Amino acid sequence: MLPEPSINDESPKSFPFNLTREKELATFSELLDRNGSGILSIFGQPGTGKSELMIHYQREATRKEAAFYLVNAQYSKAEPAVFLQALLEQMGASNPYVSTLEAITMHIQNLEQQGKKFVIAIDSYERFEALDEWFRQSFLPSLPSTTILIFCGRKPLNDSWRASIWYPFIHSIELNGFSIGQFDFAFQTLAPELIKKAWQFSIGNPYALSLCVQKLKETNEWNSTDEQSIYRTVVKEWLSELEDDRLLPYIEVASIGRYTQQEKIEVMLDHPISRHDFEALVSLSFFEETEYGWKLNALFQRAMRDDLKRRKPAYYHKLWKRALMYCRTFFEHDRLMDSSEISEFFYLLGEPMMQAAPYDPESLSTYSLSSSNQNDWAHIEPYLTESSFLKDKPDPFLSKEMIEAIGIQHVKLLRNRDGDVAGMAFLIPIQSSTLPNLKSSPVTRSYFKRLPSIEEKRIMAATKPFGWVIRYLGVKDSERSEDRKALLYHLLPLVLTDGILVASTPLTFYQSLLDQFRFKEIPEAKHFDYGPSRPSKTYELDLRNSRLPLYLESFAKAIGVNLTETPLDHYSFTPREKEVVELVIQGYSNANLAEELSLSEVTIKKHLSRIYEKTGVKNRTQLTRVIIGGQART
């Protein structure tokens, strides 16, 4: 058992539980057993246990009587001479009569004569990237062919390594977080609910897990004060990668929303960012490139955002509102929004949604929803049979034949963070080929039999789907309400298009969620196809004729978010300060303001003083000119 880290400890991180990297350790052990050389590239985001793995590698090398020399780049300058001196000190083989490199070579030759294998490991290698070319062209060629080198850092070896003669010798290993199963198995002394809390909070990051476990062992309870302490520690650890604070404002912006792009940063900060700075930003190890843009590691994003909220709450709110306004630009009527933009919109609305509906966007964002293919039938079939593991009775009208007729790609599988299938949705496109079946089949017939003939003609004439029927929603474990929420939360952005959405369900849980997403119940389409004791409501969401932008705006307004920006939104005014500004613009005197707002004139003067400071003006006339003219001074 390794020693427990302290939250304030600056030493290399170790974990207060026995979680070993057996696969990664086996790769290194096999390399030691071979004849010849090898290069290991160990990489992973902060806190995934890279330095801990080096300790295990050193133990394995000692067990096999191999020499192991570790240089930590975190404590060395990125200069060849400094690296060589640090390596020689590790070897304990200094020689005043020869150069450092010659002394190292002589020591290695002596080891070879003794028949010993040897390993040179460099930790925190991202700090030595400037030496890449020197390592490839000068250092490595000087070493014997039996050398094993380990480059351990936050990033994989770059493309220049892949294009070099060393590429065939490189073995790359990425370290990720632990699953809750691994953590639960390895650490069983805490109560199960605390283990689950720790894992969910840390998202499986080993370093954050170790901090959680340490706190829980001390207090045996979970509290917000400990959360803040852990978040601050995580932020400090990850930001150690920054050479200066120049990129910090951009990282703060990137913590708001799931994805970031150069344009989004510029809009939110209201000033340009150079291409050089943006590329430096997204090259940081805690950024990941996706098809929708770049995103922060989920744990770091959560910690960074929590830290920003607590340190600069008004500034955080201003950035959050500007992120929403940036999404608002995608609502223009001359373009179609894609699912990623709609998903981002709902993600940003997460906080007010939590007050209006049972959603936790941080937790739900760890799920994914993807289209099925022929290899997924093993996951789909349990939802279709009477012997299903679902506690809710399976849909008796849903069959493999129906899915094959519509297309298996219309089955969406919900996967949790570990990649396990947790739920399934089946969508039916409303189009000429499916309309006869929709009019005659149970569940859907109650809605489509009532369609006016003019609507049927439009569907038959359309060249693309007229909309979608959410034909089936189901989860593996009906007791996990979070899985049910995640299924609908991830499904809606995929199907919110310029068309009609239809859903019918006997389950009050899904009925409630459809209500919250402002679907309209169609009373005359209510049916009992699932049985006389299971009344099923049918819902419709009509987004035709460019109604989607209006729907998204009204949805936001219903939970208290106004997407119409005013000049007042350019400043970090409190609600009371906004009231004062609005009345000043209308010509109210201090006495009138005091009477209108039931405040003393002294308090009014204090409000005005803060307002003048925030807007950079000196008097009422200048304030009125700035606000009415919309001249934001941010």
Side-chain angles (χ1 to χ4, degrees):
M1 184 73 72
L2 295 170
E4 298 177 7
S6 166
I7 281 187
N8 298 315
D9 190 6
E10 298 290 342
S11 61
K13 314 303 178 295
S14 57
F15 311 132
F17 41 80
N18 285 321
L19 281 175
T20 58
R21 300 277 189 177
E22 294 181 3
K23 181 180 177 181
E24 293 80 0
L25 193 57
T27 300
F28 175 64
S29 185
E30 290 171 10
L31 202 55
L32 284 174
D33 292 337
R34 292 182 195 166
N35 291 321
S37 63
I39 299 174
L40 273 181
S41 173
I42 308 293
F43 64 96
Q45 293 179 326
T48 47
K50 300 180 294 296
S51 297
E52 180 81 3
L53 184 60
M54 292 302 100
I55 295 173
H56 287 286
Y57 279 4
Q58 189 167 23
R59 289 173 178 169
E60 181 68 6
T62 301
R63 190 179 71 83
K64 294 195 172 185
E65 299 183 343
F68 189 96
Y69 307 113
L70 175 65
V71 175
N72 194 327
Q74 188 172 358
Y75 309 110
S76 301
K77 291 183 179 179
E79 298 174 2
V82 175
F83 165 74
L84 291 174
Q85 184 60 40
L87 178 59
L88 186 61
E89 289 174 1
Q90 283 285 307
M91 293 177 169
S94 60
N95 188 329
Y97 303 105
V98 297
S99 70
T100 306
L101 183 57
E102 287 175 319
I104 290 171
T105 303
M106 291 169 59
H107 180 74
I108 290 174
Q109 288 172 347
N110 183 46
L111 290 174
E112 282 194 301
Q113 290 172 2
Q114 299 175 41
K116 277 193 172 185
K117 297 277 287 187
F118 61 92
V119 181
I120 298 174
I122 306 170
D123 200 0
S124 302
Y125 183 71
E126 68 275 0
R127 296 179 180 271
F128 270 4
E129 280 187 322
L131 301 183
D132 264 354
E133 186 174 351
W134 177 80
F135 273 109
R136 287 193 303 271
Q137 297 186 8
S138 299
F139 184 64
L140 267 66
S142 72
L143 298 174
S145 59
T146 54
T147 307
I148 295 175
L149 277 103
I150 302 175
F151 296 99
C152 177
R154 295 186 176 187
K155 308 173 188 175
L157 293 176
N158 60 32
D159 291 339
S160 297
W161 284 92
R162 298 185 185 95
S164 72
I165 60 172
W166 306 107
Y167 180 67
F169 304 98
I170 298 175
H171 305 268
S172 295
I173 298 177
E174 181 178 8
L175 300 187
N176 294 303
F178 294 120
S179 70
I180 191 170
Q182 290 173 301
F183 179 53
D184 189 35
F185 176 78
F187 200 87
Q188 299 179 354
T189 60
L190 289 175
E193 63 272 15
L194 292 180
I195 291 177
K196 183 179 179 181
K197 273 266 191 186
W199 183 83
Q200 289 178 336
F201 178 82
S202 65
I203 319 182
N205 180 274
Y207 176 45
L209 268 175
S210 71
L211 299 176
C212 293
V213 168
Q214 176 186 340
K215 281 295 184 183
L216 290 173
K217 288 178 68 176
E218 293 172 356
T219 64
N220 204 35
E221 64 179 8
W222 193 266
N223 61 67
S224 59
T225 302
D226 290 341
E227 286 185 7
Q228 295 166 32
S229 174
I230 293 171
Y231 272 151
R232 285 195 298 270
T233 306
V234 167
V235 167
K236 180 179 178 181
E237 170 69 17
W238 287 44
L239 289 181
S240 65
E241 187 174 336
L242 292 180
E243 296 182 358
D244 55 53
D245 291 341
R246 177 173 51 89
L247 299 178
L248 189 56
Y250 307 141
I251 297 173
E252 291 176 341
V253 167
S255 72
I256 299 174
R258 285 195 299 175
Y259 306 106
T260 195
Q261 301 88 11
Q262 183 174 345
E263 179 187 64
K264 180 181 177 183
I265 293 175
E266 292 176 337
V267 168
M268 290 177 64
L269 291 179
D270 199 23
H271 68 74
I273 172 175
S274 70
R275 182 184 182 92
H276 177 270
D277 280 354
F278 182 76
E279 289 179 350
L281 175 72
V282 297
S283 69
L284 294 168
S285 66
F286 38 82
F287 276 91
E288 175 189 356
E289 186 173 7
T290 73
E291 61 180 309
Y292 305 121
W294 289 263
K295 69 176 185 177
L296 287 171
N297 169 276
L299 171 64
F300 176 68
Q301 180 188 30
R302 184 190 296 175
M304 191 73 195
R305 190 168 58 242
D306 181 84
D307 179 67
L308 182 61
K309 277 185 194 176
R310 295 183 185 281
R311 289 189 299 108
K312 299 187 283 187
Y315 179 64
Y316 167 81
H317 182 78
K318 181 171 74 172
L319 289 180
W320 172 79
K321 187 65 179 289
R322 286 190 175 182
L324 267 175
M325 296 304 298
Y326 177 71
C327 275
R328 172 65 181 83
T329 64
F330 297 135
F331 295 4
E332 302 301 329
H333 298 286
D334 59 350
R335 68 184 292 279
L336 293 176
M337 295 182 70
D338 63 36
S339 60
S340 68
E341 293 165 353
I342 297 173
S343 180
E344 178 77 352
F345 175 78
F346 280 115
Y347 181 87
L348 285 167
L349 286 179
E351 289 182 66
M353 282 172 67
M354 286 174 65
Q355 300 169 13
Y359 278 94
D360 178 358
E362 297 296 345
S363 175
L364 299 188
S365 66
T366 64
Y367 292 81
S368 64
L369 191 70
S370 58
S371 299
S372 301
N373 57 47
Q374 293 297 325
N375 297 324
D376 290 319
W377 276 114
H379 298 302
I380 297 171
E381 286 178 343
Y383 291 86
L384 311 180
T385 61
E386 287 293 334
S387 58
S388 168
F389 43 69
L390 293 171
K391 291 185 180 180
D392 290 317
K393 185 178 179 182
D395 187 338
F397 310 116
L398 189 64
S399 65
K400 184 175 182 179
E401 292 73 25
M402 175 190 290
I403 291 174
E404 287 178 330
I406 302 298
I408 195 172
Q409 71 274 18
H410 296 307
V411 173
K412 310 294 180 182
L413 293 178
L414 180 75
R415 298 181 187 272
N416 60 25
R417 182 184 178 278
D418 294 327
D420 300 325
V421 173
M424 185 187 96
F426 178 43
L427 307 173
I428 300 178
I430 303 172
Q431 55 193 28
S432 58
S433 60
T434 62
L435 184 59
N437 184 274
L438 292 172
K439 290 179 63 177
S440 60
S441 295
V443 183
T444 57
R445 61 191 175 191
S446 63
Y447 176 87
F448 286 93
K449 284 177 66 175
R450 54 174 289 280
L451 281 182
S453 59
I454 186 66
E455 291 287 282
E456 289 190 27
K457 290 178 181 178
R458 289 173 180 166
I459 294 172
M460 299 301 290
T463 57
K464 64 178 184 178
F466 201 66
W468 297 89
V469 175
I470 304 175
R471 178 58 184 79
Y472 177 81
L473 292 170
V475 294
K476 180 178 180 179
D477 184 353
S478 60
E479 299 299 318
R480 285 185 54 83
S481 62
E482 188 176 81
D483 290 350
R484 289 180 170 183
K485 297 171 193 173
L487 188 58
L488 190 59
Y489 181 85
H490 285 274
L491 178 65
L492 282 179
L494 296 178
V495 293
L496 285 175
T497 58
D498 189 17
I500 296 176
L501 291 180
V502 179
S504 181
T505 176
L507 301 178
T508 55
F509 184 92
Y510 285 126
Q511 290 174 359
S512 175
L513 289 180
L514 290 169
D515 284 333
Q516 289 161 3
F517 274 97
R518 301 177 69 80
F519 277 66
K520 177 185 176 183
E521 183 186 352
I522 309 298
E524 54 268 35
K526 183 177 179 179
H527 63 84
F528 293 85
D529 288 338
Y530 289 108
S533 62
R534 304 195 78 182
S536 298
K537 294 182 179 181
T538 298
Y539 296 83
E540 173 192 83
L541 184 59
D542 189 351
L543 301 177
R544 291 174 296 173
N545 302 320
S546 300
R547 291 191 182 101
L548 177 57
L550 295 176
Y551 163 74
L552 294 174
E553 288 191 13
S554 65
F555 182 89
K557 190 173 182 180
I559 57 174
V561 179
N562 185 2
L563 294 180
T564 303
E565 189 171 27
T566 71
L568 295 180
D569 295 317
H570 289 293
Y571 304 96
S572 302
F573 290 142
T574 64
R576 177 65 83 186
E577 288 170 351
K578 284 186 177 182
E579 290 179 323
V580 172
V581 172
E582 289 169 350
L583 293 175
V584 167
I585 293 172
Q586 296 176 41
Y588 277 60
S589 66
N590 284 4
N592 296 145
L593 285 168
E595 182 180 357
E596 179 70 21
L597 299 176
S598 301
L599 299 172
S600 70
E601 289 193 44
V602 173
T603 302
I604 292 297
K605 289 178 180 178
K606 289 180 179 179
H607 281 310
L608 285 171
S609 178
R610 286 192 292 268
I611 290 167
Y612 293 161
E613 182 179 352
K614 289 180 179 181
T615 53
V617 302
K618 297 180 179 180
N619 52 49
R620 296 169 117 82
T621 303
Q622 291 180 0
L623 176 64
T624 302
R625 187 183 304 122
V626 165
I627 297 299
I628 293 179
Q631 301 168 5
R633 299 185 183 184
T634 56

